[in-house]
Amino acid sequence: MSGDDDRSDAAERAGDAGDPTPDGGSTHPAESPLAERARPADADAPTTGLSGPRPEERPHPTGRRDEHGVRKEPDQGPEPARRATVSALVEDEPGVLARAAGLFRRRQFNIESLTVGPTTVEGHSRITLVVEETEAGIDQAKKQLAKLTPVIAVGELSGDAVAAELVLLKVRGQEPDKVHAITSMYDGQTLDAGPRTITVQITGDENQIDDAIDAFDQFGIIEMARTGQTALERGDSPTTPGEEPGHSAADTDDDEFTNYDD
Amino acid sequence: MSEPATPGKASADADDEATDADATGRTDTEDETAERRREAATRAPGTGAGAVVAALEAAGVETAFGVQGGAIMPVYDALSASTVDHVTMAHEQGAVHAADAYGIVRGDPGVCLATSGPGATNLVTGIADASMDSDAMLALTGQVPSDMVGSDAFQETDTVGVTAPITKHNFFASDSDDVGRTVGEAFALAGTGRPGPTLVDLPKDVSFGQTDRPVGEPTPPKRSVPTPAADEEQVEAAADAIQRAERPLCLFGGGVIKGDATEEARAFAREFGIPVVTTMPGIGSFPEDDDLCLSWAGMHGTGYANMAITHTDCLIAVGTRFDDRLTGGVDTFAPEAEVVHVDIDPAEISKNVHADYPVIGDAATVIDQLDAAIGYGDAPDPEAWREQCAEWREEYPMDYAIDTDEPVRPEFVVEAFDAATDDDAYVTTGVGQHQMWAAQYWTFREPRTFVSSHGLGTMGYGLPAAIGARIAADDDRQVVSFEGDGSFLMTIQELSVAVREHLDITVVVLNNEYIGMVRQWQDAFFEGNHMASDYDWMPEFDTLAEAFGAKGFRIDDYDDVEDAVEAALAYDGPSVVDAHVDPEANVYPMVASGAANGLFALSEDQL
Ligand SMILES: Cc1ncc(C[n+]2csc(CCOP(=O)(O)OP(=O)(O)O)c2C)c(N)n1
């Protein structure tokens, strides 16, 4: 097998099979096959394409991959999607939220909510994202997010993480007592009460918020604003890997956390 | 194994010999260069613009490409007293492609400058191009004064917003004291880990503002510096898979070249006798005249490369992002292969093709790790597989017929130039059929010698890239640019720069009076309806070259080829060969979009 078989075919066809003789005078001598090669090729050389077995005459393996490039059995169904809460610790610089949001839009990740706010460490913010994707999609989302320069660490929250959301609901004020009862039932607060409208605030995890909204629906919800999920890992586990506990102004000297791993 | 050094390494060697002659003929000893950089890092810059320039000098930048303008004027003013050479281009797109190619050839980030608004937006295509190909590059853009930002001021564009998705990272400079450090950080970041373009937007007041804070050494943000070595467990697992394989195949991507890992990659494949295919950006990572090399796979790759990739049982993929032009439909891509994927960017692992054995790290380091891990076991020698690959090479030759009474075959022109040039000549291209013929019929042997627009496929890339490559390259290495008539016309104005700078480049226009690649697809998929692809109004490129002050040559038939090739290469300065080639010639093999690699068509009736 000669490495330049493919390159020298035309030369050989044109009768240049022997070693080309270098002509010492030229700047690019040796293999320059121009004169010889500008001759008609073999009659059976194709003029409109290349020669070789046709597609159907070639051996074809039977294996297949799925849409994520994973090898699979032929009748395996599509990957199911799941919901993941992703937390990103980021440098608090201008545009960081736009970068994260832009990334998700550009790569068409299916994003359900995105919240952002400061942490206990000055100059750091936390972005909490809820995405609904296949396993591979979630993995990509986390990796792409981690690649952004201002992103310090990215973690996916476990099932028992604490998560909360806030909703403001403006409902019709005809039945203030009933509104008040339901507000207390959801440990909410009344922020504004007037003759025609009552505005309440409810916090809780996503299911509680959904339930509360259903409950208030009977009064007629005029306006609503939801923040989206924000979340922290439960207990001593850091929310993003390697995250150092920060020290807020309220910290005392006997802070028992020096490192989450302790 | 006698390995020609990569250009990046060559210049390091030159440093060892204590001489470093740059394109301007300046000759400095290594000590002088280091001293100059130290001086730039520690001096009081005076102004923000002075700090920008000091940062470039501290980073060792020798040449920058750009176009002047209002918002960038303070930086240019400071550049006039700098050791950084500035090459004024005819269009910012020229500047960005030239910087891109300069960076590819040098192995260090290329630098380009533009003013705010239209200057910055003219860079966008080239920045996106660099981003898709992971080319290290720093773009500096002027911006309207800070207090006017957001007011839709004259020549204001949200450059940071516009370029955020196409840069590795971009910065808005807000303080004269910090701007120098920011530029150094952006430069360093561009070349760190997986390379990519970075940008610093420079408001005019920040450039004008007083500062005497030294810029310091250019250092990337700490988190952006990846660990070069891979996890040993990952390496062991991958090594095991490779040892088990009966039909192993190396797939070398652009990352092998960008990571300066060609030497290690070549040694690895040769040690274990594993056949090699490359991606198009990986061309040059393995010598194409080596017995083990099956050239490149993908849409217009060789039949034998596509057969090998279809039938391998273990694909050792290094520094590739499994672009769809390589894989065709992922469902049928290397369907029987366990995939070992070596990449420095964890986000590339299992992005398009699932990696059974992910190995995250620097290509050169990881290949050495793999090599060592396999060395302890006894690696089976895949002889039968090599023979199979050799058979495919016989079965699917890269071939074309010559009839001297017919128009010249474009492949022939490419081969003629290849034969007449040195093995280490640089080839740049536009985008289209000519690019594919250049990739197919030129025998590439060295890394960084094929300078082309891969991921974005930017027509107009070839000529400015040739200018950047010429300025970056050693004088004794040749630069040839293959252009299509359509591609050439997109940035032809840069010929004026080549003439002004007296750059010895040879532009070869494979002139088919079509935007041929489009015509080929129209013939295959749109019943031959040549809507807007018929370019029979092309100028005489040889005459036009003369108008620019370059040398023009013309090829009409086979008899003209040898003389034109000789004369164009011999001419000391920019020359343009207007090669009128067969307008109906098509590029084969071809894998239809999304089809199986093994179903490559050898002619139109097979599509
Ligand atoms: C900037 C840009 N615009 C449009 C295209 C789409 N396109 C891809 S190939 C091609 C034809 C290129 O024609 P030409 O440069 O003459 O080369 P040929 O294919 O004839 O060799 C076009 C229009 C592109 N790749 N880049």
Side-chain angles (χ1 to χ4, degrees):
Chain A
M1 173 166 93
S2 149
D4 51 9
D5 273 356
D6 55 319
R7 305 298 187 231
S8 54
D9 274 342
E12 280 168 19
R13 273 200 321 271
D16 186 29
D19 276 340
T21 334
D23 78 356
S26 162
T27 40
H28 20 78
E31 65 266 47
S32 172
L34 294 189
E36 279 85 352
R37 306 218 12 212
R39 282 194 206 139
D42 286 352
D44 59 353
T47 50
T48 57
L50 299 170
S51 62
R54 299 177 54 85
E56 63 275 11
E57 293 160 7
R58 299 170 202 153
H60 295 288
T62 50
R64 284 291 178 272
R65 293 176 185 274
D66 68 13
E67 67 271 33
H68 303 296
V70 186
R71 274 174 304 137
K72 63 162 189 184
E73 301 306 319
D75 47 0
Q76 229 168 294
E79 272 268 308
R82 72 170 173 91
R83 251 162 150 245
T85 306
V86 174
S87 184
L89 193 65
V90 303
E91 305 267 11
D92 190 10
E93 59 180 53
V96 61
L97 184 59
R99 279 177 214 277
L103 168 78
F104 277 68
R105 173 193 53 73
R106 182 159 54 94
R107 295 195 179 267
Q108 308 224 333
F109 293 126
N110 197 354
I111 175 169
E112 302 212 334
S113 86
L114 185 159
T115 64
V116 63
T119 70
T120 51
V121 179
E122 199 179 330
H124 287 181
S125 293
R126 185 184 311 282
I127 297 177
T128 308
L129 289 139
V130 180
V131 291
E132 182 154 354
E133 279 290 331
T134 60
E135 208 53 57
I138 292 167
D139 192 47
Q140 254 305 296
K142 288 192 287 188
K143 285 171 171 173
Q144 291 294 344
L145 196 56
K147 233 172 98 162
L148 294 177
T149 304
V151 173
I152 300 161
V154 174
E156 182 182 341
L157 277 78
S158 58
D160 70 336
V162 285
E165 184 174 358
L166 181 150
V167 67
L168 300 183
L169 292 162
K170 187 184 286 180
V171 299
R172 296 197 193 284
Q174 278 86 345
E175 300 171 284
D177 292 350
K178 274 174 120 180
V179 171
H180 184 71
I182 291 185
T183 306
S184 338
M185 205 170 101
Y186 284 96
D187 281 338
Q189 270 176 284
T190 304
L191 300 181
D192 177 48
R196 278 189 293 278
T197 67
I198 300 172
T199 305
V200 302
Q201 163 192 313
I202 310 288
T203 52
D205 69 18
E206 202 194 5
N207 290 336
Q208 287 167 321
I209 301 274
D210 286 345
D211 289 350
I213 292 169
D214 282 349
F216 280 102
D217 212 26
Q218 57 180 301
F219 311 113
I221 299 173
I222 303 163
E223 284 176 351
M224 177 171 94
R226 271 178 93 150
T227 60
Q229 293 280 314
T230 190
L232 288 178
E233 203 55 81
R234 196 174 288 274
D236 286 359
S237 319
T239 294
T240 63
E243 185 171 350
E244 298 280 326
H247 294 269
S248 74
D251 268 348
T252 53
D253 280 344
D254 59 1
D255 185 350
E256 60 189 285
F257 293 104
T258 49
N259 188 311
Y260 281 114
D261 294 329
D262 289 351
Chain B
M1 184 171 72
S2 83
E3 262 317 299
T6 62
K9 290 186 173 150
S11 63
D13 291 344
D15 282 350
D16 290 344
E17 289 157 31
T19 56
D20 186 2
D22 68 15
T24 60
R26 226 178 16 231
T27 307
D28 291 316
T29 64
E30 187 193 356
D31 285 352
E32 276 166 7
T33 308
E35 180 50 40
R36 223 183 31 239
R37 290 176 64 162
R38 243 190 321 275
E39 183 281 321
T42 51
R43 75 164 172 254
T47 60
V52 171
V53 170
L56 297 180
E57 291 178 6
V61 174
E62 287 175 11
T63 307
F65 303 85
V67 177
Q68 261 279 25
I72 196 79
M73 281 176 76
V75 177
Y76 271 86
D77 195 54
L79 261 183
S80 66
S82 162
T83 58
V84 177
D85 284 320
H86 180 265
V87 180
T88 305
M89 302 296 289
H91 187 295
E92 288 85 358
Q93 190 182 353
V96 64
H97 292 326
D100 180 278
Y102 181 95
I104 291 170
V105 169
R106 281 284 173 108
D108 260 342
V111 177
C112 59
L113 295 104
T115 194
S116 66
T121 54
N122 275 349
L123 293 181
V124 166
T125 301
I127 295 172
D129 188 284
S131 174
M132 291 290 273
D133 289 348
S134 305
D135 294 336
M137 186 169 78
L138 170 64
L140 300 173
T141 48
Q143 185 52 279
V144 301
S146 308
D147 59 359
M148 293 172 81
V149 167
S151 70
D152 300 329
F154 176 65
Q155 294 194 327
E156 184 191 351
T157 296
D158 173 13
T159 305
V160 165
V162 168
T163 60
I166 52 169
T167 48
K168 187 170 170 184
H169 188 53
N170 61 15
F171 302 81
F172 182 85
S174 51
D175 186 333
S176 308
D177 279 340
D178 293 336
V179 64
R181 278 180 187 280
T182 304
V183 169
E185 183 175 313
F187 182 90
L189 179 62
T192 302
R194 178 182 183 169
T198 58
L199 179 144
V200 185
D201 202 27
L202 305 161
K204 202 168 181 179
D205 56 317
V206 172
S207 296
F208 265 135
Q210 300 294 306
T211 179
D212 273 335
R213 189 191 292 182
V215 299
E217 304 274 324
T219 34
K222 246 212 237 93
R223 280 192 310 278
S224 320
V225 187
T227 329
D231 179 78
E232 269 308 323
E233 264 175 45
Q234 287 187 338
V235 171
E236 291 292 336
D240 254 15
I242 295 168
Q243 274 166 300
R244 277 198 315 270
E246 285 168 12
R247 305 186 303 279
L249 183 68
C250 289
L251 172 66
F252 292 153
V256 172
I257 296 173
K258 303 264 145 73
D260 284 328
T262 44
E263 210 175 298
E264 291 79 2
R266 291 172 181 199
F268 180 85
R270 285 170 179 154
E271 181 174 351
F272 303 111
I274 302 173
V276 175
V277 301
T278 73
T279 66
M280 208 171 87
I283 286 177
S285 58
F286 205 82
E288 293 190 308
D289 54 357
D290 189 295
D291 279 357
L292 281 176
C293 192
L294 302 169
S295 295
W296 52 286
M299 184 174 276
H300 289 298
T302 63
Y304 34 98
N306 281 321
M307 286 306 279
I309 218 160
T310 301
H311 291 274
T312 174
D313 65 352
C314 178
L315 189 64
I316 307 156
V318 187
T320 171
R321 58 189 179 83
F322 291 106
D323 181 80
D324 55 272
R325 293 284 142 135
L326 168 75
T327 60
V330 276
D331 55 331
T332 49
F333 179 71
E336 312 213 308
E338 291 202 293
V339 175
V340 173
H341 191 182
V342 177
D343 210 289
I344 197 153
D345 180 357
E348 283 310 329
I349 304 290
S350 298
K351 186 183 81 178
N352 295 335
V353 171
H354 177 76
D356 302 284
Y357 300 96
V359 197
I360 299 163
D362 162 69
T365 314
V366 171
I367 293 172
D368 278 345
Q369 284 179 285
L370 278 174
D371 189 283
I374 295 174
Y376 298 125
D378 45 342
D381 188 21
E383 201 187 329
W385 169 238
R386 276 199 303 275
E387 274 162 20
Q388 174 63 73
C389 290
E391 260 171 50
W392 283 326
R393 195 202 288 271
E394 299 285 323
E395 272 183 327
Y396 302 99
M398 293 301 289
D399 202 355
Y400 57 94
I402 290 172
D403 181 342
T404 47
D405 294 335
E406 294 289 317
V408 178
R409 295 289 303 227
E411 301 95 324
F412 183 80
V413 178
V414 172
E415 287 195 310
F417 272 95
D418 186 17
T421 48
D422 301 329
D423 286 356
D424 62 359
Y426 293 97
V427 172
T428 75
T429 75
V431 167
Q433 293 179 315
H434 62 282
Q435 177 189 28
M436 297 304 139
W437 286 314
Q440 291 177 333
Y441 287 92
W442 190 282
T443 305
F444 291 93
R445 295 171 177 86
E446 300 306 327
R448 301 181 189 278
T449 54
F450 183 53
V451 183
S452 193
S453 170
H454 304 282
L456 199 68
T458 307
M459 287 170 74
Y461 181 83
L463 174 60
I467 291 173
R470 173 74 281 159
I471 291 171
D474 290 340
D475 284 348
D476 58 350
R477 291 180 69 172
Q478 293 152 307
V479 178
V480 178
S481 177
F482 286 100
E483 294 283 356
D485 41 335
S487 289
F488 190 37
L489 212 54
M490 285 206 175
T491 51
I492 197 168
Q493 68 279 6
E494 304 303 337
L495 213 42
S496 63
V497 176
V499 169
R500 187 195 69 221
E501 301 282 322
H502 195 75
L503 301 178
D504 191 10
I505 57 175
T506 307
V507 179
V508 185
V509 189
L510 298 181
N511 187 347
N512 51 12
E513 298 196 359
Y514 277 116
I515 51 169
M517 189 58 98
V518 170
R519 200 262 307 131
Q520 176 169 346
W521 283 50
Q522 287 171 329
D523 287 343
F525 309 115
F526 294 87
E527 283 104 37
N529 179 14
H530 293 174
M531 173 65 189
S533 62
D534 196 340
Y535 275 31
D536 57 5
W537 38 267
M538 280 291 127
E540 310 262 319
F541 288 113
D542 53 335
T543 321
L544 191 56
E546 300 275 344
F548 274 104
K551 193 87 183 143
F553 301 92
R554 186 176 164 116
I555 291 173
D556 282 307
D557 49 48
Y558 283 101
D559 287 342
D560 302 333
V561 175
E562 184 158 9
D563 285 351
V565 170
E566 295 249 354
L569 290 172
Y571 181 72
D572 180 20
S575 56
V576 174
V577 180
D578 190 3
H580 288 259
V581 296
D582 182 356
E584 306 305 328
N586 281 340
V587 185
Y588 292 106
M590 176 172 181
V591 179
S593 298
N597 288 44
L599 288 176
F600 55 87
L602 297 167
S603 57
E604 190 178 313
D605 65 314
Q606 294 180 5
L607 276 168

